[in-house]
Amino acid sequence: MKEVEELAYKDAQKARKKQSRKVPEGLQEIYDRVTGFDQKAKNLIRDAYFFAQEAHEGQLRKSGEPYFIHLVATAKNLADLGMDAKVIAAGILHDSIEDGVATEEQLLYEFGEEILFLVDGVTKLGHIRYQGMRRHNESLRKLFVATSRDVRVLIIKFADRLHNMNTLEHVREDKRERIATETLEIYAPLAYRLGITKLSKQLEDLSFPYVYPEEYKNVRDVLKERSKQTIAKLERMDRSISKKLAANGMRKFRTSNRIKGIYSFYKKLDRKKGDADKIYDIAALRIIVPTVADCYSVLGIVHQHYRPMVGRIKDYIAVPKPNGYRSIHTTVFTGDGGLVELQIRTEEMHLDAELGAASHLGYKKRTGGGEHMDSWATRLMGRFGDPAGNAPLKDPKEVAPGWIDSLADHSDNPESESFQTELKDDFFGHQIFVFTPLGEVIVLPEGATPVDFAFQVHSEVGNKMSGSKVNEKMVSMDSVLQNGDIVEILTSKQGKPTVKWLDFVKTNEARRKIKSYLEREEAEKR
Ligand code: MN
């Protein structure tokens, strides 16, 4: 680093430290959402706060509010997700290079390598745009995961997006649908696969009205009507079950209601061909107890008093869902003609269910039942329970397989059955993702050229290729493509493969097709 620059950074840092004695309201709001942070952790957040405030000074959001509000909101979302101080600080800083006046060197100087790595990752993710090709969603999700490299980068991006969705009405109308669709098709499913169901539900419900305005209006009224009846039913059931549990000697338990998200309701309604009567989990009653043994006791007591519906008893404690979800579900007849879904779980499972991967990354310490941590949790990032976020940065490639595993969608989507294996191959096979001008994702090996791209798209495109553009600029045929490039192949009647192409193509497909073209050409000459 140049000496002059370093001096300038030092001066700026000093000046900032001087004025930052009092805790401003925004910072206090972040502090209020975290528990167990030591002074060092709080200081890191404070430093990021004042740094970002300066880096975004005078900037406004589309809503007319100061830009800085967006960063405080992102940090609050991350704190709500139980993230550690480093992730929260990176969240506050996530736009300071791209949209603010800070430089990479400055961030490195003041906050170190790990935070710069996180901010950098979020910036890179920001360059990936949904191109409006629904059949390529799975590729786009993979691109997201491959680009983020570290699950924390994804989580910061989720927190960023959550605030952007909350303020979407201020964005230009033609952009809203793209952003909302991207959120619904890419962000929400990824959050779900990471088990961060709370966030996934929020993102879905915020996007829904923009992506499917008509359907939203219809479903909203149905759900409102249903919820009212169901909540009343649930409250009666809550009182009655609580009494019975107490009578059977259960002392430590709490209950809570869960209303289905509107988008999730819409999807289910669609599957049930519009018959809302067939949806039993519009609302559910949660019974949260201290231990796993308590869960089974509660199930026993409940089934003694209420007849369970056949085929609706699901033991996700014995057999967790692929995203790590654990709970016992049962749907029982209430005795007055109704049905209620019950979800029985421990506090730890509850935290898991809401925060998933995030709960293992963050500071929110887990209570009891540690045996489960050995299964899927330890396969994640491996940075548990350090409130100050002082755990050393691991090489993302080293820890990637674990959290990529947990992204696999084993549910009802045949398109993504091999998501897990493919994702691993992509990650370690050094592949890049590039786009056609229409937004189609093309997967190529690292080092691939526009010629490889052309033959991947279609033999005829390769055979007529006369030039290529990358990100709207003319480039040579042998230039190396980068992740996220938009590649356009120019074709003409005179365009044709030459022997020289064989020197630089990377894919076997291109090599094979070029050779076969040249052989045919040779044969025609004779
Ligand atoms: Mn942002």
Side-chain angles (χ1 to χ4, degrees), residues 56-317:
H56 295 281
E57 198 173 351
Q59 275 186 317
L60 296 179
R61 295 265 291 175
K62 295 265 158 55
S63 62
E65 291 176 314
Y67 196 94
F68 186 56
I69 285 186
H70 168 59
L71 305 159
V72 176
T74 303
K76 286 201 260 180
N77 290 340
L78 287 167
D80 286 341
L81 287 169
M83 291 293 102
D84 70 22
K86 268 187 187 154
V87 178
I88 294 173
I92 302 175
L93 298 166
H94 83 269
D95 281 330
S96 64
I97 296 175
E98 181 90 343
D99 299 309
V101 296
T103 63
E104 282 198 14
E105 292 79 29
Q106 200 175 359
L107 222 61
L108 181 66
Y109 175 79
E110 294 211 23
F111 298 98
E113 213 177 315
E114 188 173 357
I115 285 183
L116 177 62
F117 166 82
L118 294 173
V119 171
D120 232 35
V122 177
T123 309
K124 283 199 190 103
L125 271 190
H127 293 155
I128 302 171
R129 287 266 140 69
Y130 184 77
Q131 312 269 334
M133 302 275 287
R134 252 161 236 218
R135 68 196 171 92
H136 295 296
N137 285 346
E138 195 54 37
S139 306
L140 208 52
R141 282 178 213 132
K142 279 187 216 161
L143 173 62
F144 252 71
V145 174
T147 308
S148 62
R149 291 175 66 222
D150 184 316
V151 71
R152 294 174 298 167
V153 170
L154 269 181
I155 292 173
I156 296 170
K157 197 66 199 158
F158 292 153
D160 167 49
R161 181 51 63 105
L162 183 57
H163 182 245
N164 287 338
M165 288 307 299
N166 271 314
T167 52
L168 196 63
E169 81 249 31
H170 302 293
V171 170
R172 230 176 48 212
E173 206 175 334
D174 55 316
K175 277 173 131 191
R176 277 183 219 158
E177 204 205 321
R178 180 191 66 76
I179 294 170
T181 310
E182 185 177 82
T183 306
L184 194 62
E185 302 291 345
I186 311 298
Y187 288 75
L190 281 179
Y192 181 80
R193 288 182 201 179
L194 281 167
I196 318 173
T197 52
K198 187 177 155 188
L199 187 70
S200 167
K201 181 174 161 183
Q202 284 172 310
L203 291 173
E204 278 180 352
D205 289 353
L206 287 165
S207 317
F208 187 31
Y210 294 101
V211 183
Y212 304 106
E214 281 306 309
E215 289 85 344
Y216 170 75
K217 276 180 214 137
N218 295 336
V219 169
R220 184 188 53 192
D221 296 337
V222 180
L223 184 63
K224 210 185 260 169
E225 184 54 40
R226 290 267 154 179
S227 307
K228 244 190 263 162
Q229 307 165 6
T230 320
I231 288 174
K233 202 166 65 184
L234 224 55
E235 279 167 357
R236 281 198 304 275
M237 194 64 175
D238 188 356
R239 282 192 297 274
S240 140
I241 284 189
S242 294
K243 250 188 246 163
K244 291 196 167 87
L245 290 179
N248 280 273
M250 296 282 312
R251 287 289 175 271
K252 282 188 184 156
F253 66 89
R254 67 183 179 94
T255 57
S256 76
N257 293 347
R258 191 280 280 131
I259 303 289
K260 207 173 187 58
I262 184 163
Y263 182 66
S264 156
F265 178 72
Y266 158 71
K267 275 196 302 189
K268 199 139 195 187
L269 199 58
D270 205 39
R271 280 205 297 275
K272 302 282 178 194
K273 311 228 164 6
D275 188 354
D277 288 334
K278 290 208 175 108
I279 303 177
Y280 305 116
D281 62 347
I282 291 175
L285 180 65
R286 284 187 181 136
I287 304 170
I288 301 159
V289 291
T291 68
V292 171
D294 292 334
C295 294
Y296 290 102
S297 303
V298 168
L299 183 72
I301 297 166
V302 165
H303 283 180
Q304 259 172 46
H305 294 92
Y306 305 92
R307 192 157 60 84
M309 194 179 168
V310 176
R312 298 279 310 171
I313 308 165
K314 287 169 192 153
D315 186 351
Y316 295 121
I317 293 179

